[in-house]
DNA sequence: CCGCTTTTTTACGGTTTCTTTACGCTTACT
DNA sequence: AGTAAGCGTAAAGAAACCGTAAAAAAGCGG
């Protein structure tokens, strides 16, 4: 769903950058590393990352200055990482525009959860198009589907099926899985539902844009998948 | 920046509520206290606070359920306060829609700073004071509705429903969301209210201007949305 | 305490959506 | 090539959902 968010990691310690890179990449994020305050600011301005992790102890400039520099041109969520933990420090940083503050040592689990919160915020501020493929745009929160900018009306069941397909986009989803996700576990035998609704979905999507021909692929005897 | 923000404090311990009330009132906030999960949900739905402080150890319901209940109808920032601190707990809460997580004992300074961060987020999402679409004009501060320059009298419930619809204009709002927002979380099953009041709204608006036909769109099985 | 407004309850006809049924087509295997 | 299993599509029937009116109950101001 929120695949491949881009995370800028500003930290002078090589070991931390490598740890972050490994941990975050494993979760499907793209990591932009920066060794110094100056480099961090530059990357932030040029690459427009989705979240910034900022270490406070930088050699060339202190973290507060970096934070303020970023805030001059962007509202991107910034999470502060530091060993310091005095209340006054936290207060100052948070009031200067930081979105969160983690004191080392922190657990990776918590960091990842905090990143997801930060991403939620930045997604809310954007057009929250959660899925996009060619002319097809799907907003899961508002259940709106656009093809080539034009709205396509889908019934509740049609939308649920499309959602199930694209939220595992690229991977085959078995008929059993689809039936149980969309109609409920009692309907796992009713494979004809799938044939009917897949057919309707294809008709509605392809009539708006021929590009979407072949978007929903049948895997005979197994299930269906949406092309990525 | 935004003085007098309204903060809902959900905590069963009287001493904590009094401490929060004193501390936050001194900073110029308005405190809405709630002793139980049920009361908290009710106040959240009716008063639309700017931030919610939620204690996890409630007698009638666990905090996670309250958080999910709130998320059914609102994106208001929720800060979790708790003595628990396992990573798994934090992860679950943050992924369920919490915006921040403070482990007791925490300093008042830090809490206040975290509240300011939360308010910064909600300010960004704050809704406009007026709405306009074709011949329809709505002034949220005076609760007045004009169609083609002429005032249309709406009852309190009718106005609240219209407000809920247009403040997410263009997006589908589920029946559950609408019912919790307008009638309160206890009414999420009463979908017939929606049918009745949507019908009344349409009659009042469309009788003044035929242009408004099709302004409120039904999504069968899902909810309603106002055209933008 | 009474009358007015608003909300809630009750009822029913109409529409949309879901489910069932049916049939032709393709694919793979004997 | 024949056949059986699986898939795609159309169309009818059933069920769920929606819109509207009107009556009963509750709330409010005088």
């Amino acid at each position: 769903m929120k695949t491949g968010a881009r995370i800028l990691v500003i930290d002078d310690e090589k070991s931390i950058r490598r740890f972050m890179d490994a941990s975050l990449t494993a979760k499907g994020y793209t990591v932009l590393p920066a060794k110094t305050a100056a480099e961090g600011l530059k990357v932030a301005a040029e690459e427009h990352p989705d979240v910034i992790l900022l270490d406070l102890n930088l050699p060339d400039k202190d973290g507060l200055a970096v934070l303020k520099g970023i805030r001059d041109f962007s509202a991107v969520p910034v999470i502060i990482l530091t060993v310091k933990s005095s209340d006054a420090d936290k207060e100052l940083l948070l009031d200067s525009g930081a979105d969160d503050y983690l004191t080392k040592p922190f657990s990776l689990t918590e960091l990842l959860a905090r990143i997801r919160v930060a991403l939620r915020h930045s997604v809310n501020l954007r057009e929250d198009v959660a899925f996009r493929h060619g002319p097809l745009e799907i907003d899961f929160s508002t259940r709106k589907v656009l093809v080539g900018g034009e709205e396509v009306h889908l019934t509740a069941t049609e939308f649920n099926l499309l959602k199930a397909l694209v939220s595992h986009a690229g991977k085959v989803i078995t008929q059993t899985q689809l039936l149980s996700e969309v109609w409920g576990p009692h309907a796992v035998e009713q494979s004809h539902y799938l044939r009917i609704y897949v057919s309707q979905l294809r008709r509605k999507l392809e009539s708006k844009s021929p590009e979407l021909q072949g978007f929903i692929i049948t895997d005979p005897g197994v299930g269906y998948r949406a092309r990525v």
Side-chain angles (χ1 to χ4, degrees), chain A:
Chain A
M1 183 165 302
K2 65 185 70 162
T3 51
R6 290 152 62 251
I7 303 182
L8 169 57
V9 177
I10 309 178
D11 200 312
D12 61 319
E13 285 181 57
K14 189 177 180 185
S15 61
I16 303 234
R17 285 201 309 277
R18 285 177 57 184
F19 170 70
M20 291 291 182
D21 191 12
S23 311
L24 298 177
T25 304
K27 291 291 174 181
Y29 300 116
T30 303
V31 174
L32 312 170
K35 281 185 278 295
T36 63
E39 190 186 345
L41 273 170
K42 182 162 167 286
V43 177
E46 287 171 359
E47 298 285 342
H48 299 284
D50 299 295
V51 177
I52 297 178
L53 303 183
L54 174 60
D55 188 282
L56 270 196
N57 303 313
L58 295 173
D60 52 340
K61 228 184 197 180
D62 75 285
L64 180 59
V66 178
L67 176 60
K68 287 183 173 169
I70 291 169
R71 280 288 168 267
D72 281 344
F73 61 86
S74 168
V76 59
V78 174
I79 300 176
I80 304 287
L81 308 177
T82 180
V83 288
K84 288 188 197 171
S85 68
S86 93
D87 285 346
D89 285 338
K90 283 191 192 180
E91 187 179 19
L92 179 59
L93 268 298
L94 291 172
D95 282 342
S96 300
D99 290 77
D100 211 334
Y101 191 107
L102 283 174
T103 307
K104 296 178 191 173
F106 49 79
S107 78
L108 182 61
T109 310
E110 176 162 12
L111 174 63
L112 290 170
R114 300 274 186 178
I115 287 175
R116 287 193 291 273
V117 171
L119 282 172
R120 225 158 50 208
H121 285 143
S122 66
V123 162
N124 281 339
L125 299 176
R126 233 183 284 143
E127 277 285 311
D128 39 24
V129 173
F131 179 87
R132 179 166 245 152
H133 170 83
L136 175 65
E137 297 172 50
I138 307 170
D139 184 329
F140 295 113
S141 63
T142 62
R143 305 179 67 92
K144 224 184 200 176
V145 176
L146 302 176
V147 174
E150 204 178 332
E151 183 164 359
V152 177
H153 173 76
L154 297 185
T155 71
T157 307
E158 287 165 358
F159 182 86
N160 292 339
L161 175 61
L162 179 60
K163 179 179 173 180
L165 284 169
V166 302
S167 55
H168 306 82
K171 300 181 178 177
V172 180
I173 321 171
T174 65
Q175 303 193 1
T176 307
Q177 266 180 293
L178 282 170
L179 287 164
S180 123
E181 227 170 286
V182 177
W183 282 269
H186 59 277
V188 290
E189 312 274 302
Q190 317 282 301
S191 62
H192 55 281
Y193 286 2
L194 283 176
R195 293 201 289 278
I196 293 163
Y197 275 87
V198 166
S199 165
Q200 283 173 197
L201 262 182
R202 281 175 178 153
R203 179 151 39 90
K204 286 191 178 183
L205 298 180
E206 292 172 5
S207 72
K208 294 278 177 182
S209 163
E211 271 189 71
L212 290 176
Q213 279 186 12
F215 173 61
I216 300 175
I217 300 166
T218 307
D219 250 89
V222 186
Y224 295 85
R225 69 178 206 271
R227 192 179 271 164
V228 257

